[in-house]
Coordinates of all heavy atoms in Angstrom, one line a residue:
E125 N -1.0 26.9 0.2 CA 0.0 27.4 -0.8 C -0.5 28.6 -1.6 O 0.2 29.5 -1.8 CB 0.4 26.3 -1.7 CG 1.2 25.2 -1.1 CD 1.5 24.1 -2.1 OE1 1.7 24.3 -3.3 OE2 1.5 22.9 -1.7
Y126 N -1.8 28.5 -2.0 CA -2.4 29.6 -2.7 C -2.5 30.9 -1.9 O -2.1 32.0 -2.3 CB -3.7 29.2 -3.3 CG -4.5 30.3 -4.0 CD1 -3.9 30.9 -5.1 CD2 -5.7 30.7 -3.7 CE1 -4.5 31.9 -5.9 CE2 -6.4 31.7 -4.4 CZ -5.8 32.3 -5.5 OH -6.5 33.3 -6.2
L127 N -2.9 30.7 -0.6 CA -3.0 31.9 0.3 C -1.6 32.5 0.5 O -1.4 33.7 0.5 CB -3.6 31.5 1.6 CG -5.1 31.0 1.6 CD1 -5.5 30.6 3.0 CD2 -5.9 32.1 1.0
R128 N -0.6 31.6 0.7 CA 0.8 32.2 0.9 C 1.3 32.9 -0.4 O 1.9 33.9 -0.3 CB 1.7 31.0 1.2 CG 1.6 30.5 2.6 CD 2.5 29.4 2.9 NE 2.4 28.9 4.3 CZ 2.6 27.7 4.7 NH1 3.1 26.8 3.9 NH2 2.4 27.4 6.0
F129 N 0.9 32.3 -1.5 CA 1.3 33.0 -2.8 C 0.6 34.4 -2.8 O 1.3 35.4 -3.1 CB 0.9 32.2 -4.0 CG 0.8 33.0 -5.3 CD1 2.0 33.3 -5.9 CD2 -0.4 33.4 -5.8 CE1 2.0 34.0 -7.1 CE2 -0.4 34.1 -6.9 CZ 0.8 34.5 -7.6
L130 N -0.7 34.5 -2.6 CA -1.4 35.7 -2.6 C -0.8 36.7 -1.6 O -0.5 37.9 -2.0 CB -2.9 35.6 -2.3 CG -3.7 34.8 -3.4 CD1 -5.1 34.5 -2.8 CD2 -3.7 35.5 -4.7
E131 N -0.5 36.3 -0.4 CA 0.1 37.1 0.6 C 1.5 37.7 0.2 O 1.8 38.8 0.3 CB 0.2 36.4 1.9 CG 0.8 37.3 3.0 CD 0.9 36.5 4.4 OE1 0.7 35.3 4.4 OE2 1.1 37.2 5.4
S132 N 2.3 36.8 -0.4 CA 3.6 37.2 -0.8 C 3.6 38.2 -1.9 O 4.3 39.2 -2.0 CB 4.5 36.0 -1.1 OG 4.1 35.4 -2.3
Q133 N 2.7 37.9 -2.9 CA 2.6 38.9 -4.0 C 2.1 40.2 -3.5 O 2.5 41.3 -4.0 CB 1.6 38.3 -5.1 CG 2.2 37.1 -5.8 CD 3.5 37.4 -6.5 OE1 3.5 38.3 -7.4 NE2 4.5 36.7 -6.2
W134 N 1.2 40.2 -2.6 CA 0.7 41.5 -2.0 C 1.8 42.2 -1.3 O 2.0 43.4 -1.5 CB -0.5 41.2 -1.1 CG -0.9 42.5 -0.3 CD1 -0.8 42.6 1.0 CD2 -1.4 43.7 -0.9 NE1 -1.2 43.9 1.3 CE2 -1.6 44.6 0.2 CE3 -1.7 44.1 -2.1 CZ2 -2.1 45.9 0.1 CZ3 -2.2 45.4 -2.3 CH2 -2.4 46.3 -1.2
K135 N 2.5 41.5 -0.4 CA 3.5 42.2 0.4 C 4.8 42.6 -0.5 O 5.3 43.6 -0.2 CB 4.0 41.3 1.5 CG 2.9 41.1 2.6 CD 3.4 40.3 3.7 CE 2.3 40.3 4.8 NZ 2.7 39.5 6.0
Q136 N 5.1 41.8 -1.5 CA 6.3 42.1 -2.2 C 6.1 43.1 -3.4 O 6.9 43.9 -3.7 CB 6.9 40.8 -2.8 CG 7.5 39.9 -1.8 CD 7.9 38.6 -2.4 OE1 8.0 38.4 -3.6 NE2 8.2 37.6 -1.5
H137 N 4.9 43.0 -4.0 CA 4.6 43.8 -5.2 C 3.4 44.7 -5.1 O 3.1 45.3 -6.1 CB 4.5 42.8 -6.4 CG 5.6 41.9 -6.6 ND1 6.8 42.3 -7.1 CD2 5.7 40.5 -6.4 CE1 7.6 41.2 -7.1 NE2 6.9 40.1 -6.7
E138 N 2.8 44.6 -3.9 CA 1.5 45.4 -3.8 C 0.5 45.1 -4.9 O 0.0 46.0 -5.5 CB 1.7 46.8 -3.5 CG 2.3 47.1 -2.2 CD 2.2 48.6 -1.8 OE1 1.5 49.4 -2.4 OE2 2.9 48.9 -0.8
D139 N 0.4 43.8 -5.3 CA -0.4 43.4 -6.3 C -1.9 43.4 -5.9 O -2.3 42.6 -5.1 CB 0.0 42.0 -6.7 CG -0.7 41.5 -8.0 OD1 -1.9 42.0 -8.3 OD2 -0.2 40.6 -8.7
V140 N -2.6 44.4 -6.3 CA -4.0 44.7 -5.9 C -4.9 43.5 -6.2 O -5.7 43.1 -5.4 CB -4.5 46.0 -6.5 CG1 -6.0 46.2 -6.2 CG2 -3.7 47.2 -6.0
A141 N -4.7 42.8 -7.3 CA -5.5 41.7 -7.7 C -5.4 40.6 -6.6 O -6.3 39.9 -6.3 CB -5.1 41.2 -9.1
C142 N -4.2 40.4 -6.1 CA -4.0 39.4 -5.0 C -4.7 39.8 -3.8 O -5.3 38.9 -3.1 CB -2.5 39.2 -4.8 SG -1.6 38.4 -6.1
M143 N -4.7 41.0 -3.4 CA -5.5 41.4 -2.2 C -7.0 41.3 -2.4 O -7.7 40.8 -1.6 CB -5.2 42.9 -1.8 CG -6.0 43.4 -0.6 SD -5.9 42.3 0.9 CE -4.2 42.5 1.4
L144 N -7.4 41.6 -3.6 CA -8.8 41.4 -3.9 C -9.2 39.9 -3.9 O -10.3 39.6 -3.5 CB -9.2 42.0 -5.3 CG -9.0 43.5 -5.4 CD1 -9.3 44.0 -6.8 CD2 -9.8 44.3 -4.4
C145 N -8.3 39.1 -4.3 CA -8.6 37.6 -4.2 C -8.7 37.2 -2.7 O -9.6 36.4 -2.4 CB -7.4 36.8 -4.9 SG -7.5 36.9 -6.7
L146 N -7.8 37.7 -1.9 CA -7.8 37.4 -0.5 C -9.2 37.9 0.1 O -9.8 37.1 0.9 CB -6.7 38.1 0.3 CG -5.3 37.5 0.0 CD1 -4.2 38.4 0.5 CD2 -5.2 36.1 0.6
C147 N -9.6 39.0 -0.3 CA -10.9 39.6 0.2 C -12.1 38.7 -0.2 O -13.0 38.4 0.6 CB -11.1 41.0 -0.2 SG -10.0 42.2 0.5
Q148 N -12.0 38.3 -1.5 CA -13.1 37.4 -2.0 C -13.1 36.1 -1.3 O -14.2 35.5 -1.0 CB -12.9 37.2 -3.5 CG -14.0 36.4 -4.2 CD -15.3 37.2 -4.2 OE1 -15.3 38.4 -4.3 NE2 -16.4 36.4 -4.1
L149 N -11.9 35.5 -1.0 CA -11.9 34.2 -0.3 C -12.4 34.4 1.1 O -13.1 33.5 1.6 CB -10.4 33.7 -0.3 CG -9.9 33.2 -1.6 CD1 -8.4 32.9 -1.6 CD2 -10.6 31.9 -2.0
L150 N -12.1 35.5 1.8 CA -12.6 35.7 3.1 C -14.1 35.7 3.1 O -14.8 35.1 3.9 CB -12.0 36.9 3.8 CG -12.5 37.2 5.2 CD1 -12.1 36.1 6.1 CD2 -12.0 38.5 5.7
Q151 N -14.7 36.4 2.1 CA -16.1 36.5 2.0 C -16.8 35.2 1.7 O -17.9 34.8 2.2 CB -16.5 37.6 1.0 CG -16.2 39.0 1.5 CD -16.6 40.0 0.4 OE1 -16.1 39.9 -0.7 NE2 -17.4 41.0 0.9
K152 N -16.1 34.4 0.8 CA -16.7 33.1 0.4 C -16.4 32.0 1.4 O -17.3 31.2 1.6 CB -16.1 32.8 -1.0 CG -16.3 31.4 -1.4 CD -17.7 31.1 -1.8 CE -17.9 29.8 -2.5 NZ -18.6 28.8 -1.7
A153 N -15.3 32.0 2.0 CA -14.8 30.8 2.8 C -14.5 31.2 4.2 O -13.6 30.7 4.8 CB -13.6 30.2 2.1
Y154 N -15.3 32.1 4.8 CA -15.0 32.5 6.2 C -15.3 31.4 7.2 O -14.8 31.5 8.3 CB -15.8 33.8 6.6 CG -17.3 33.6 6.4 CD1 -18.1 33.0 7.5 CD2 -18.0 34.0 5.3 CE1 -19.5 32.9 7.3 CE2 -19.3 33.9 5.1 CZ -20.1 33.3 6.1 OH -21.4 33.2 6.0
T155 N -16.0 30.3 6.8 CA -16.2 29.2 7.8 C -15.1 28.1 7.5 O -15.1 27.2 8.3 CB -17.6 28.6 7.6 OG1 -17.7 28.2 6.2 CG2 -18.6 29.6 8.0
F156 N -14.3 28.3 6.5 CA -13.3 27.3 6.2 C -12.0 27.6 7.0 O -11.8 28.6 7.6 CB -13.0 27.2 4.7 CG -12.2 26.1 4.2 CD1 -12.6 24.8 4.4 CD2 -11.0 26.3 3.6 CE1 -11.9 23.7 4.0 CE2 -10.2 25.2 3.2 CZ -10.6 23.9 3.4
N157 N -11.0 26.7 6.9 CA -9.7 26.8 7.5 C -9.0 28.1 7.0 O -9.3 28.5 5.9 CB -8.9 25.6 7.2 CG -9.5 24.3 7.7 OD1 -10.6 23.9 7.3 ND2 -8.8 23.6 8.5
F158 N -8.1 28.6 7.9 CA -7.3 29.7 7.6 C -8.0 31.0 7.5 O -7.5 32.1 7.1 CB -6.5 29.5 6.3 CG -5.7 28.2 6.2 CD1 -6.0 27.3 5.2 CD2 -4.7 27.9 7.1 CE1 -5.4 26.1 5.2 CE2 -4.1 26.7 7.1 CZ -4.4 25.8 6.1
C159 N -9.2 31.1 8.0 CA -10.0 32.3 8.1 C -9.3 33.4 8.9 O -9.2 34.5 8.5 CB -11.4 32.0 8.7 SG -12.4 33.5 8.9
N160 N -8.7 33.0 10.0 CA -8.0 34.0 10.9 C -6.8 34.5 10.2 O -6.5 35.7 10.3 CB -7.6 33.3 12.2 CG -8.8 33.0 13.1 OD1 -9.8 33.5 12.9 ND2 -8.6 32.1 14.0
N161 N -6.1 33.7 9.4 CA -5.0 34.2 8.6 C -5.4 35.3 7.6 O -4.8 36.3 7.4 CB -4.3 33.1 7.8 CG -3.8 31.9 8.7 OD1 -4.7 31.3 9.5 ND2 -2.6 31.6 8.7
L162 N -6.5 35.0 6.9 CA -7.1 35.9 5.9 C -7.4 37.2 6.6 O -7.1 38.3 6.1 CB -8.3 35.3 5.3 CG -8.1 34.3 4.2 CD1 -9.4 33.6 3.8 CD2 -7.4 34.9 3.0
M163 N -8.1 37.1 7.8 CA -8.5 38.3 8.5 C -7.3 39.2 8.9 O -7.4 40.4 8.8 CB -9.4 38.0 9.7 CG -10.8 37.4 9.3 SD -11.8 36.9 10.7 CE -12.0 38.4 11.5
E164 N -6.3 38.5 9.3 CA -5.1 39.2 9.8 C -4.5 40.0 8.6 O -4.1 41.2 8.7 CB -4.1 38.3 10.4 CG -2.9 38.9 10.9 CD -1.9 37.9 11.6 OE1 -2.4 36.9 12.2 OE2 -0.7 38.1 11.5
I165 N -4.3 39.3 7.5 CA -3.7 40.0 6.3 C -4.5 41.1 5.8 O -4.0 42.2 5.5 CB -3.5 38.9 5.1 CG1 -2.6 37.8 5.5 CG2 -3.0 39.6 3.9 CD1 -2.7 36.6 4.6
I166 N -5.8 40.9 5.8 CA -6.8 42.0 5.3 C -6.8 43.1 6.3 O -6.8 44.3 5.8 CB -8.1 41.3 5.0 CG1 -8.0 40.4 3.8 CG2 -9.2 42.4 4.8 CD1 -9.2 39.5 3.6
A167 N -6.9 42.8 7.5 CA -6.9 43.9 8.5 C -5.7 44.8 8.5 O -5.8 46.0 8.6 CB -7.1 43.3 9.9
Q168 N -4.6 44.2 8.2 CA -3.3 45.0 8.1 C -3.3 45.9 6.9 O -2.5 46.9 6.8 CB -2.1 44.1 8.0 CG -1.8 43.3 9.3 CD -0.8 42.3 9.1 OE1 -0.2 42.1 8.0 NE2 -0.5 41.5 10.2
S169 N -4.2 45.7 5.9 CA -4.2 46.5 4.7 C -5.4 47.4 4.5 O -5.6 48.1 3.5 CB -4.2 45.5 3.5 OG -3.0 44.7 3.6
M170 N -6.3 47.4 5.5 CA -7.5 48.2 5.4 C -7.3 49.7 5.2 O -8.1 50.4 4.7 CB -8.4 47.9 6.7 CG -9.0 46.5 6.7 SD -9.9 46.2 8.2 CE -11.4 47.2 7.9
H171 N -6.2 50.2 5.7 CA -5.9 51.6 5.6 C -5.4 52.1 4.2 O -5.3 53.3 4.0 CB -4.9 52.0 6.7 CG -3.5 51.4 6.4 ND1 -3.2 50.1 6.6 CD2 -2.4 52.1 6.0 CE1 -1.9 49.9 6.3 NE2 -1.4 51.1 5.9
L172 N -5.1 51.2 3.4 CA -4.5 51.5 2.1 C -5.6 51.9 1.1 O -6.5 51.1 0.8 CB -3.6 50.4 1.5 CG -2.4 50.0 2.4 CD1 -1.8 48.7 1.9 CD2 -1.4 51.1 2.5
P173 N -5.5 53.1 0.5 CA -6.6 53.5 -0.4 C -6.9 52.6 -1.6 O -8.0 52.5 -2.0 CB -6.0 54.9 -0.9 CG -5.0 55.3 0.0 CD -4.4 54.1 0.6
S174 N -5.9 51.9 -2.1 CA -6.1 51.1 -3.3 C -7.0 49.9 -3.0 O -7.6 49.3 -3.9 CB -4.8 50.6 -3.9 OG -4.0 49.9 -2.9
V175 N -7.0 49.4 -1.7 CA -7.8 48.2 -1.4 C -8.7 48.4 -0.2 O -9.3 47.4 0.3 CB -6.8 47.0 -1.1 CG1 -6.1 46.6 -2.4 CG2 -5.9 47.3 0.0
S176 N -8.8 49.6 0.4 CA -9.5 49.8 1.6 C -11.0 49.3 1.5 O -11.6 48.7 2.4 CB -9.4 51.2 2.1 OG -10.0 52.1 1.2
E177 N -11.7 49.7 0.4 CA -13.1 49.4 0.3 C -13.3 47.9 0.2 O -14.2 47.3 0.9 CB -13.7 50.0 -1.0 CG -15.1 49.8 -1.2 CD -15.7 50.4 -2.4 OE1 -15.0 51.2 -3.1 OE2 -16.9 50.2 -2.7
A178 N -12.5 47.1 -0.5 CA -12.6 45.7 -0.6 C -12.3 45.0 0.7 O -13.0 44.1 1.2 CB -11.7 45.1 -1.7
C179 N -11.3 45.5 1.4 CA -10.9 45.0 2.7 C -12.0 45.2 3.7 O -12.4 44.3 4.5 CB -9.6 45.6 3.2 SG -8.1 45.1 2.3
C180 N -12.5 46.4 3.8 CA -13.6 46.7 4.7 C -14.9 45.9 4.4 O -15.5 45.4 5.4 CB -13.9 48.2 4.7 SG -12.6 49.2 5.4
N181 N -15.2 45.7 3.1 CA -16.4 44.9 2.8 C -16.2 43.5 3.2 O -17.1 42.8 3.7 CB -16.6 45.0 1.3 CG -17.2 46.3 0.9 OD1 -17.7 47.1 1.7 ND2 -17.1 46.6 -0.4
A182 N -15.0 42.9 3.0 CA -14.7 41.5 3.4 C -14.9 41.4 4.9 O -15.5 40.4 5.4 CB -13.3 41.1 2.9
M183 N -14.2 42.3 5.7 CA -14.3 42.2 7.1 C -15.7 42.4 7.6 O -16.2 41.7 8.6 CB -13.4 43.3 7.8 CG -11.9 43.0 7.5 SD -11.3 41.5 8.2 CE -11.0 42.0 9.8
Q184 N -16.5 43.3 7.0 CA -17.9 43.5 7.4 C -18.7 42.3 7.2 O -19.5 41.9 8.0 CB -18.5 44.7 6.5 CG -19.9 45.0 6.9 CD -20.5 46.1 6.1 OE1 -19.9 46.6 5.1 NE2 -21.7 46.5 6.5

Side-chain angles (χ1 to χ4, degrees):
E125 286 176 39
Y126 180 54
L127 294 179
R128 286 180 179 153
F129 163 76
L130 292 172
E131 181 181 12
S132 71
Q133 292 299 303
W134 170 246
K135 288 183 176 179
Q136 293 173 13
H137 307 288
E138 289 196 13
D139 188 332
V140 173
C142 288
M143 178 52 71
L144 296 178
C145 288
L146 289 166
C147 291
Q148 184 67 34
L149 286 168
L150 180 61
Q151 289 177 307
K152 167 70 172 109
Y154 57 85
T155 57
F156 190 62
N157 301 56
F158 310 116
C159 174
N160 291 341
N161 303 59
L162 284 169
M163 290 177 65
E164 185 178 324
I165 297 164
I166 292 169
Q168 293 170 359
S169 304
M170 291 175 74
H171 69 283
L172 299 170
S174 60
V175 294
S176 64
E177 184 178 352
C179 291
C180 290
N181 288 341
M183 294 297 277
Q184 181 180 9

